[in-house]
Amino acid sequence: ANAMPGDRERCLSRGMDLYLAKPLRTADVRDVLGVVSDKSHAPVHVVTPSTPQQAQCLDLELLGEMSDGDLQLESDFLRGVARDLPPLLAHTRERLEAGELRAAAESLHPASGFVRAVGSGLIREQVTELNLSLRNASTKPSDALLALASIEELASALLRDILAHLSEDGPA
């Protein structure tokens, strides 16, 4: 099961040194083990590209781990993400524009699941952070709309990557 919003913050605030949630990614486990064992292997830091078009938003390693190499499952899942992500983000925007933070969080939640399953670090971090701040009502709608605009740009790049990946694999 996936971690609930706020789990990471609660655990770290209560004295945990590190936090790792499911679904586990090999790279994340290596990073944590590198920190724990105090070796020179430091955690990977995401470098923010100057534009979303320069970002590789689809994490193929994560997708492969999620599907256990089942190419048909990958294709079906990516088609579902491409179909469902845009309306989820649009509904989130509508709720934010209406000032309904809780409803916006509920709209964003399934989108965050998609992004955690196949998105690269930057979009995953931004969606998780916005979802958490909406659920905790710790942001203003105007600030949340700015954050959502950034997520929408990254989501466009993610969808571009998904469609390119699907076209490389041919029709399913």
Side-chain angles (χ1 to χ4, degrees):
N2 289 317
M4 298 300 294
D7 285 353
R8 179 180 190 279
E9 289 74 18
R10 275 191 298 280
C11 291
L12 293 175
S13 72
R14 291 182 180 154
M16 287 182 66
D17 295 321
L18 300 167
Y19 181 84
L20 190 61
K22 292 189 251 176
L24 297 177
R25 294 183 48 215
T26 305
D28 292 338
V29 173
R30 281 190 199 118
D31 290 340
V32 168
L33 290 174
V35 170
V36 170
S37 65
D38 198 27
K39 292 186 179 174
S40 62
H41 190 280
V44 174
H45 296 283
V46 177
V47 175
T48 306
S50 58
T51 65
Q53 289 72 31
Q54 295 173 342
Q56 178 65 28
C57 290
L58 178 61
D59 187 330
L60 294 174
E61 179 184 344
L62 183 59
L63 178 64
E65 289 175 12
M66 183 227 25
S67 71
D68 201 27
D70 184 332
L71 297 180
Q72 185 62 50
L73 177 62
E74 287 181 13
S75 177
D76 292 346
F77 185 76
L78 290 176
R79 288 179 198 288
V81 171
R83 178 192 66 230
D84 296 340
L85 185 59
L88 288 168
L89 293 176
H91 190 258
T92 301
R93 175 169 285 287
E94 290 169 8
R95 299 290 45 95
L96 286 174
E97 289 171 346
E100 301 170 358
L101 296 181
R102 194 69 161 152
E106 290 171 8
S107 296
L108 187 61
H109 184 70
S112 68
F114 287 147
V115 169
R116 281 195 315 270
V118 298
S120 68
L122 184 59
I123 190 169
R124 286 173 54 213
E125 290 171 16
Q126 289 188 6
V127 167
T128 300
E129 183 177 325
L130 178 58
N131 199 17
L132 208 93
S133 65
L134 290 173
R135 288 202 178 275
N136 295 332
S138 61
T139 188
K140 295 184 285 188
S142 58
D143 292 338
L145 280 165
L146 289 174
L148 183 62
S150 176
I151 290 167
E152 288 168 331
E153 286 184 43
L154 290 167
S156 292
L158 174 62
L159 292 171
R160 178 207 63 216
D161 291 350
I162 287 172
L163 295 176
H165 182 72
L166 289 172
S167 69
E168 290 170 4
D169 291 343

